[in-house]
Amino acid sequence: MRVGRSDGGVSGGKMERWNVGTMLSIVALSIIPSFHLSAQTDARLVEALRLAQSGQVDSGRSIVRRLLATLPPGDSVYPQALLAAAKIAPDAPTVASYLNRIVVEYGAGPWADDALLLLTQLYWAQRDPAQTVQFAERLNRDYPDSPLRSRANFSAGRAYFELKNEARGCELIRQAQGGAGDDVEFRNQVSFYAARCSLPSSTTTASATPTPSDTTTRTPPGGAVGPPHAFAVQVLAVKSAAQVDEMLTRLKVMGFDARVVRDSTGFFKVRVGHYATHEEAQRAQQRLKQKVGGQPFVVDEP
């Protein structure tokens, strides 16, 4: 038996206490899911969710609480129990707490992308676009093969629209549209927002002849052609994934093309851009220093 959720939503408000009906409309307990979401496989959790859906929420919570109290954290059922607890939690902060535990403590397991999707939808329902895009971008970065990305990107695309980053919003809406599959209702929802991203046909045709700035290949004296070469701006180098998430979100909201490079010492390096010349990278460095602060610097990326 699969226990999933539909794509319901709640408008407005901050992360205040929700009643049970509102909670179920967000994480949408449904015995037959409308799209792929990893199912609870433990019979006790299936029963807990069934009870909650039928109105016996306290009984369902009691089952989950007992499991969390008795199971060792290393048990494979433990992250499933955290997910079930989140689905029937009494208020939004508790939901977020359970889901964040899955992401942080069980990030290498099969439930982390489920938790990130639900966090994305939770914060979108709470009209918190910055948090919405943070969790969706983490899902995109850490779980690129997850079938749940299209759902998260739909929420994040709309959040980027609210943050006035139309380019990234349209990019994610198009990705969501491409991953809609056979779900007609979801495809129609995405298509409604995709209409605002339509571009004139003249802007979608690239020139067949590249200009000198279209390539990073250099021809040194003597005629030998060297390998492609580029520059970037390094904004941050830390070992904390949380700091990386925060910086990536800030940069993407501002419209910068940010990414993470990890070196052999374990540092996460947040970098911006692929610039053909050192001068272009320096101009970007100045913009980043004005908008983000800190000490960004130009790096050579052969």
Side-chain angles (χ1 to χ4, degrees), residues 82-146:
L82 289 173
L83 189 63
K87 289 179 176 180
I88 56 178
D91 53 67
T94 307
V95 175
S97 176
Y98 283 128
L99 294 176
N100 273 298
R101 283 193 62 187
I102 298 171
V103 174
V104 173
E105 298 174 26
Y106 301 93
W111 304 95
D113 58 339
D114 297 64
L116 284 168
L117 169 63
L118 294 179
L119 282 164
T120 299
Q121 294 176 327
L122 168 68
Y123 285 110
W124 172 244
Q126 293 296 316
R127 293 298 183 262
D128 186 337
Q131 289 277 54
T132 300
V133 301
Q134 177 176 331
F135 287 107
E137 294 290 11
R138 183 164 184 175
L139 176 54
N140 280 313
R141 186 184 74 245
D142 294 351
Y143 307 93
D145 298 324
S146 172

Side-chain angles (χ1 to χ4, degrees), residues 21-39:
T22 301
M23 184 65 247
L24 297 185
S25 73
I26 290 294
V27 288
L29 291 169
S30 172
I31 298 302
I32 302 176
S34 61
F35 68 96
H36 173 82
L37 185 66
S38 298

